[in-house]
Amino acid sequence: MKNNKIFILIPDGIGLRNFAYSDFYNIGKKEDFDVFFWNNTPFDLTDLGFKEIKIQNSKSHPLTETYKNARKQIELKLNIRRTKDRVYDTYQFPFSYATTLKAIKSRVTQFLSITHSTTFGLKHIRHKIKQQERKTLYYHQCLETLQKEQPAMVFCTNQRPMTAIAPLLAAQELGIPTATFIFSWDNLPKATMVVETEYYFVWSDLMKQEVLFYYSYIREEQIFVTGTPQFESHFDTSKLLSKEVFFGQNNLDLDKKYICYSGDDVTTCPDDPKYLEDVAKAIRELNKKGHSLGIVFRRCPVDFSNRYDEVLETYKEVITPIAPLWKKTGDGWNTVLPTQADIDIQMNTIAHTELVVNLGSSMVFDYVAHNKPCAFVNYDVVTKKISDWSVKIIYNYVHFRSMPNKDTVLWIDSPEAIAGIIENAIARHSLVIENAQKWFEIINQHPAQEASKRIWLGIKTIIRRE
């Protein structure tokens, strides 16, 4: 390779887990790449031994957010029109009118989405986003950085943040090839694509087909199927602690078997504390029958609310919280940053619990990587926090349609069913593990532990093309 300098753009903390806390960097070094993290997070990655270039003053144009929101609305409307499927309505967030500024932005977004709800209108909105971002000081600072550093490629770790637009536009202005990684298995149907690059890295063949379906301007040869590094840690047994050490560190009882309750964010599951309480009641019931069981509660890393406090106190003899080790740097969900230590504690939580209970989380794949089952909560509580919220909305999302069959997870259809499901899951291995493994292979390229290698192979291929 003539020029082996690669910029890994970290527009927000989401990319840290996959690309800074995995073996991705070390694999790149072994492949003789000169890897720099173009870092827009508060974390100092030099502390981890990485080369980095800090991004300063990453301020998008004032109109970009409105255009971005309009783009999402238009894409969802076009998807409904094309598929005759109303599921895309459920991906829309309600407009905010809490302040005068938010009300104005909401009105303008609605106006743009109504007046531009055609393929041509969408193309115009995409153009306006780029046009506005090229006017910013941020864009011109990115140009200066790239002119000075001359990387062979800019690889963006997340397709969603507005702060990724200007750096990628600057690279394209200078003829530097760009690529983005599609961050999550549910992102494409939700119309979360904010950036546009020459190349796209996806989890699976299924996700590749989604890219081609939702974005007609992207061609097949622009897409690389690699898998995601987020599951690689589960195959690194060197980070596993003994049961005695892990239980001692987290105040767990060595005489008990534990299940994990994995919490959701308040938007996805407003009734999550009640579901946790129902599981705790079931564990109490099982313990009265002679079992010795407990719950490890792992809350959603971006949920710092006190909404679980009452349940945790009432059932403290049953539930032991093990808090995610994420760092809060601001008020938004995207200002909560993962840490290396949290990857290790999550892996050990999985290794030392029998199964996971949650509402439709990708934790099903983390657990099946350890050959363990997942149970999905599948009923609405009697007294809902939000009257029109329902589990039926969640499980109708497009990404759940990739499930090979209904026996891929254990379905908890009522509070009364919880005890029996947990008892059976602990007593014997189930068919659901085999089916969950099939689902894992559908949504993520296997072998799962080689995703970083495949990403670097893709990067190498792109540089040779260019």
Side-chain angles (χ1 to χ4, degrees):
M1 291 181 290
K2 294 179 181 179
N3 182 357
N4 64 349
K5 183 185 285 189
I6 306 298
F7 267 27
I8 308 299
L9 174 61
I10 310 279
D12 64 9
I14 294 295
L16 290 173
R17 178 187 173 96
N18 285 338
F19 295 97
Y21 301 152
S22 67
D23 281 336
F24 177 79
Y25 181 86
N26 290 330
I27 292 170
K29 294 286 288 182
K30 288 177 184 175
E31 291 288 331
D32 201 32
F33 287 104
D34 191 12
V35 186
F36 283 78
F37 284 103
W38 203 6
N39 183 12
N40 192 42
T41 77
F43 281 13
D44 186 347
L45 297 181
T46 60
D47 290 343
L48 299 175
F50 301 147
K51 294 179 181 178
E52 74 167 358
I53 294 175
K54 276 286 192 182
I55 292 176
Q56 306 293 336
N57 305 315
S58 57
K59 191 172 181 180
S60 297
H61 192 279
L63 295 178
T64 299
E65 184 179 13
T66 301
Y67 282 121
K68 181 205 77 169
N69 291 339
R71 174 179 175 170
K72 179 184 173 87
Q73 296 285 327
I74 295 165
E75 287 184 1
L76 293 174
K77 285 181 180 181
L78 291 176
N79 289 339
I80 292 170
R81 199 176 300 164
R82 186 158 54 132
T83 64
K84 307 295 189 282
D85 191 338
R86 303 303 304 187
V87 68
Y88 298 100
D89 268 337
T90 62
Y91 294 134
Q92 301 200 43
F93 289 108
F95 290 104
S96 174
Y97 301 93
T99 66
T100 301
L101 180 59
K102 287 181 178 179
I104 292 171
K105 285 183 176 180
S106 293
R107 291 299 186 195
V108 173
T109 299
Q110 288 174 298
F111 174 77
L112 289 172
S113 65
I114 291 169
T115 57
H116 291 73
S117 285
T118 63
T119 303
F120 179 80
L122 175 60
K123 187 174 182 180
H124 177 72
I125 295 295
R126 288 167 46 211
H127 173 73
K128 292 296 291 185
I129 290 171
K130 298 173 189 174
Q131 187 181 58
Q132 299 306 320
E133 285 299 290
R134 289 192 181 101
K135 297 176 183 177
T136 62
L137 174 63
Y138 178 32
Y139 169 78
H140 290 284
Q141 288 175 332
C142 291
L143 276 176
E144 290 177 9
T145 298
L146 292 170
Q147 286 169 334
K148 177 183 175 184
E149 298 293 335
Q150 294 291 309
M153 181 178 171
V154 177
F155 179 92
C156 182
T157 58
N158 183 357
Q159 86 288 352
R160 295 184 297 184
M162 284 194 305
T163 51
I165 300 173
L168 293 168
L169 286 173
Q172 290 160 1
E173 177 70 19
L174 298 173
I176 299 168
T178 61
T180 190
F181 180 72
I182 307 300
F183 168 71
S184 188
W185 66 314
D186 64 348
N187 280 181
L188 290 166
K190 288 182 176 180
T192 64
M193 187 82 79
V194 172
V195 304
E196 295 182 22
T197 53
E198 286 86 25
Y199 300 98
Y200 298 83
F201 285 64
V202 299
W203 289 28
S204 61
D205 288 324
L206 172 67
M207 192 179 278
K208 176 181 177 178
Q209 293 308 311
E210 286 183 330
V211 171
L212 295 171
F213 179 78
Y214 292 114
Y215 299 99
S216 59
Y217 57 84
I218 297 174
R219 303 182 309 279
E220 187 170 358
E221 59 267 26
Q222 294 176 265
I223 304 170
F224 289 83
V225 177
T226 60
T228 173
Q230 81 177 58
F231 300 113
E232 288 181 340
S233 63
H234 299 310
F235 302 91
D236 182 3
T237 56
S238 68
K239 300 291 182 67
L240 282 177
L241 302 174
S242 68
K243 180 178 178 180
E244 290 74 18
V245 170
F246 181 74
F247 276 43
Q249 287 179 352
N250 295 285
N251 299 312
L252 301 175
D253 186 341
L254 281 167
D255 293 326
K256 287 184 177 180
K257 288 184 176 181
Y258 287 87
I259 70 163
C260 175
Y261 187 93
S262 173
D264 274 295
D265 63 87
V266 68
T267 302
T268 303
C269 190
D271 298 316
D272 215 35
K274 183 65 175 87
Y275 292 127
L276 175 60
E277 181 180 24
D278 288 347
V279 175
K281 287 178 179 178
I283 294 295
R284 275 185 175 174
E285 178 186 326
L286 289 169
N287 286 343
K288 287 177 183 176
K289 290 173 59 178
H291 290 277
S292 183
L293 302 172
I295 300 170
V296 167
F297 171 55
R298 177 178 167 88
R299 68 168 63 229
C300 174
V302 298
D303 184 357
F304 287 87
S305 70
N306 61 0
R307 64 189 184 126
Y308 297 99
D309 289 0
E310 185 177 346
V311 177
L312 295 176
E313 178 60 29
T314 303
Y315 297 90
K316 60 186 177 184
E317 90 286 3
V318 171
I319 306 172
T320 303
I322 299 180
L325 300 177
W326 285 45
K327 183 177 179 181
K328 188 171 171 54
T329 62
D331 295 328
W333 68 268
N334 59 346
T335 61
V336 184
L337 306 181
T339 64
Q340 177 68 60
D342 186 61
I343 294 175
D344 297 342
I345 201 166
Q346 185 201 44
M347 179 178 65
N348 277 282
T349 297
I350 296 168
H352 296 296
T353 52
E354 307 297 315
L355 72 152
V356 64
V357 177
N358 60 43
L359 179 82
S361 163
S362 63
M363 283 286 280
V364 58
F365 306 119
D366 296 287
Y367 267 77
V368 81
H370 291 257
N371 204 35
K372 294 181 179 183
C374 171
F376 277 174
V377 173
N378 190 36
Y379 62 91
D380 292 338
V381 302
V382 175
T383 307
K384 298 181 183 180
K385 294 287 185 184
I386 300 174
S387 60
D388 60 351
W389 181 89
S390 173
V391 296
K392 292 176 182 175
I393 296 172
I394 303 300
Y395 293 123
N396 191 44
Y397 285 155
V398 172
H399 59 287
F400 287 110
R401 300 176 188 180
S402 61
M403 190 181 288
N405 57 61
K406 292 295 285 185
D407 294 324
T408 300
V409 297
L410 302 165
W411 293 97
I412 301 175
D413 295 325
S414 69
E416 295 74 25
I418 298 173
I421 286 173
I422 290 173
E423 193 170 32
N424 290 335
I426 290 174
R428 57 184 172 83
H429 280 195
S430 170
L431 177 65
V432 297
I433 296 176
E434 181 181 332
N435 288 330
Q437 180 61 39
K438 292 177 183 175
W439 194 17
F440 192 18
E441 291 170 11
I442 289 170
I443 66 99
N444 185 63
Q445 183 78 358
H446 273 57
Q449 62 268 38
E450 294 181 6
S452 290
K453 291 181 181 178
R454 288 190 290 267
I455 292 171
W456 281 115
L457 180 61
I459 291 172
K460 189 179 292 186
T461 301
I462 290 167
I463 293 173
R464 286 172 177 167
R465 281 183 189 175
E466 300 293 327

